[in-house]
Amino acid sequence: MKRPYQVDGVDRNKKNKKDVSKMKVHWKLYGSKDDLSEEFNSFSSTSSKDTDELKRDMESVSDDGKGKSRLTLSKDKNPYENSNDVDDDVALKQKNFGDDYEGCIVINKKIEEHNSTAKETAKNSLSTSKSMPDVSKMKAAIKPHFKYASHAYGLRMMSKKIFNTKVELDVENIMIVIKNNDVSLIYLLRELIEWLLAKYPALTVYIEDKVLQNKSFDVESLISDIKCPARRIKFWNVKFLEENIGFFDLVITLGGDGTVLFVSSIFQTHVPPVLSFSLGSLGFLTNYKFEHFKKDLSRILNNNKVKTNLRMRLECKVYRRREPVINPETGKKLYVSELISEHHVLNELTVDRGPSPFISNLELYNDCSLLTVAQADGLIISTPTGSTAYSLSAGGSLVYPSVNAIAVTPICPHTLNFRPIILPDSVNLRVKVSMKSRATAWAAFDGKNRVELFSGDYISISASPYAFPTIESSPDEFINSINRTLNWNLREEQKSFTHMLSDKNKEKYANDPIKLDQAEESCEEVELQEKIDGSKIDIAMVKHMMNPERKSMNRLEQEEHESS
């Protein structure tokens, strides 16, 4: 009789019995205690040894609080060691997840309530449809492509959990960045620092050293007003950031999206969580209002756990092609490309024709495979965050920030059929200036640090290992931002004509039963994860199908699947 089990690895049909005999088998059975006793008796009959040990395991059956019991029986030796019934049984070699993990099959037996006739039949039969596992599914589940699909699904579930995870935020050192050349922001900065230092005595605030030169800031009067030690207000510059990686616990920006991009440019490796207050013009990345800074900062600093969006950045490496040298072994010219700069961009890389009157001729590769040759004013390689910037203006698509993708958007292409494309983040792109190009090209990284590219020069683009974490203001902040800034899919609803009714008909309309029945506030919705038998539905049937006891076994199976 074939039993439900969770094992790993080696086909039992192999002739090497030593490997099988050393395997430890775990039996996981679910059901009532009486059913488990029946399973135990059948299990012990397959083995001639260690029955007393199995009985001790049977006595340790524990109830899970949901009317079900769980029994785990372990044997250091193969229960089929002296049995010939091994033709259709499959085993999996146990491994840790880190060492070439190949998957684990878990077959759960569903123990349902049987009537007395069914139980009597089960006792007299060696196998029934309820107790016998589906061997064909077991065989299929160990095939490599099934394992591959199962692992891919597990990674997607893990990515979903990471996306919804809240991280601890123990703040001691706060860095504040403000938009330059705006005097009004200096006074807002003073208000923010006064409130932070007065409410949180353990905090140290760091501001840019350029602010010290501004007479409106007046750090000495600020210290005397809040009566705090001068050491709690310090200054930072780019050199300090390079020498103290991972020093800051939180970055607060006062400005627009440009201020956030500036923070990305000065943190080229690890970035602390960024909290952005909207004091600019548009603000796709600035989802906090400064007038509510006391409430928002109190919530974030007191709760210690925040939800952050790990925004993808691009790692861009610029290679310059040097003059060739002769290889004495082959007699051929050898061209060497040297790395001249590296950038991690939050929005986009732009390669365009610059001041040249000629159209650019750019070759786009993926892992040394030519994708296309772009004859256009340029190319935009953007992140999902940058999809609302230059790429959107050039006709690119909006991409949700949590999607790991790279968007390629041409700038005024010579052919109208060269449309934007979204590629997975696993690609390794290369934009190369063609040897046939009539002019040079220019590259810009988030609109800064422009570099001239000559024929043969190229830029490699891949997903950066250093994400840009922004503190989430609400779960739908991206949709709110494009609604607010772009009026995305905004249209006026059809107006009601009730204003043309007489007073008598207005009163009748207000009390119309059909209108009240169609109102959303008078409706409720319930979702069932199964098909309903029959055509008529009443409230008793709905309550019965929503009974949590009916779902306990399904939840138990789901938990077992996730743990595997």
Side-chain angles (χ1 to χ4, degrees), residues 313-351:
R313 294 199 290 180
L314 296 179
E315 181 183 53
C316 304
K317 296 182 178 180
V318 183
Y319 290 88
R320 178 82 70 206
R321 190 184 195 189
R322 301 296 298 271
E323 293 295 328
V325 296
I326 302 299
N327 188 345
E329 298 180 357
T330 61
K332 296 181 179 180
K333 293 181 179 180
L334 179 63
Y335 288 92
V336 177
S337 297
E338 61 175 342
L339 177 65
I340 62 173
S341 63
E342 181 177 344
H343 310 267
H344 295 264
V345 299
L346 179 60
N347 264 4
E348 74 278 312
L349 160 71
T350 304
V351 183

Side-chain angles (χ1 to χ4, degrees), residues 99-382:
D99 331 296
D100 299 327
Y101 176 70
E102 294 184 352
C104 180
I105 303 171
V106 178
I107 300 179
N108 296 323
K109 182 181 178 193
K110 298 181 180 179
I111 307 292
E112 299 181 357
E113 295 183 358
H114 297 281
N115 54 37
S116 58
T117 306
K119 283 189 175 182
E120 188 66 26
T121 305
K123 290 179 181 179
N124 297 330
S125 175
L126 291 178
S127 64
T128 65
S129 61
K130 293 294 182 181
S131 62
M132 182 176 179
D134 191 339
V135 178
S136 62
K137 291 184 178 179
M138 293 167 55
K139 286 184 175 181
I142 66 170
K143 293 185 179 294
H145 54 278
F146 279 102
K147 291 183 181 181
Y148 175 72
S150 177
H151 294 169
Y153 176 77
L155 290 175
R156 285 197 296 272
M157 294 300 101
M158 184 183 297
S159 176
K160 184 177 180 179
K161 289 183 178 180
I162 291 175
F163 177 74
N164 295 321
T165 299
K166 290 186 177 181
V167 297
E168 293 185 2
L169 195 64
D170 187 13
V171 180
E172 294 181 356
N173 301 304
I174 293 182
M175 174 182 173
I176 302 179
V177 183
I178 67 170
K179 182 171 61 175
N180 293 327
N181 303 322
D182 194 334
V183 179
S184 63
L185 290 182
I186 297 295
Y187 292 95
L188 294 179
L189 175 63
R190 284 178 59 95
E191 288 191 14
L192 176 61
I193 293 176
E194 287 179 8
W195 182 83
L196 284 172
L197 297 181
K199 188 175 178 69
Y200 299 96
L203 289 182
T204 302
V205 175
Y206 288 77
I207 57 177
E208 192 174 4
D209 55 1
K210 294 180 180 179
V211 180
L212 183 62
Q213 303 173 3
N214 195 312
K215 295 180 180 180
S216 301
F217 183 69
D218 194 3
V219 64
E220 294 180 357
S221 65
L222 179 61
I223 293 173
S224 62
D225 289 344
I226 57 179
K227 298 178 181 179
C228 74
R231 66 176 182 275
R232 295 186 62 196
I233 301 179
K234 298 182 179 181
F235 300 90
W236 63 266
N237 52 32
V238 175
K239 183 179 179 181
F240 178 84
L241 298 179
E242 293 174 351
E243 295 175 352
N244 297 273
I245 296 176
F247 177 77
F248 291 106
D249 305 309
L250 179 66
V251 177
I252 298 176
T253 67
L254 306 180
D257 288 351
T259 309
V260 179
L261 293 177
F262 172 71
V263 172
S264 175
S265 66
I266 59 179
F267 285 99
Q268 285 293 284
T269 54
H270 296 286
V271 188
V274 179
L275 176 64
S276 303
F277 287 102
S278 179
L279 292 169
S281 54
L282 277 179
F284 290 97
L285 300 174
T286 53
N287 295 303
Y288 287 89
K289 295 182 178 180
F290 187 78
E291 50 264 35
H292 303 148
F293 80 88
K294 295 181 181 179
K295 180 184 70 174
D296 293 332
L297 282 174
S298 297
R299 175 177 55 83
I300 292 170
L301 297 177
N302 294 336
N303 290 343
N304 293 332
K305 283 192 175 183
V306 295
K307 171 72 169 59
T308 60
N309 291 326
L310 297 177
R311 295 178 180 268
M312 172 185 165
R313 294 199 290 180
L314 296 179
E315 181 183 53
C316 304
K317 296 182 178 180
V318 183
Y319 290 88
R320 178 82 70 206
R321 190 184 195 189
R322 301 296 298 271
E323 293 295 328
V325 296
I326 302 299
N327 188 345
E329 298 180 357
T330 61
K332 296 181 179 180
K333 293 181 179 180
L334 179 63
Y335 288 92
V336 177
S337 297
E338 61 175 342
L339 177 65
I340 62 173
S341 63
E342 181 177 344
H343 310 267
H344 295 264
V345 299
L346 179 60
N347 264 4
E348 74 278 312
L349 160 71
T350 304
V351 183
D352 55 53
R353 62 192 179 111
S356 171
F358 302 107
I359 195 171
S360 63
N361 196 341
L362 304 174
E363 299 171 354
L364 180 64
Y365 295 86
N366 174 29
D367 289 329
C368 300
S369 176
L370 181 64
L371 297 181
T372 188
V373 178
Q375 290 187 325
D377 282 350
L379 279 178
I380 301 170
I381 316 294
S382 75

Side-chain angles (χ1 to χ4, degrees), residues 359 373 375-376 394-395 410-420:
I359 195 171
V373 178
Q375 290 187 325
I411 306 173
C412 299
H414 186 260
T415 57
L416 295 180
N417 55 10
F418 188 8
R419 307 311 305 155

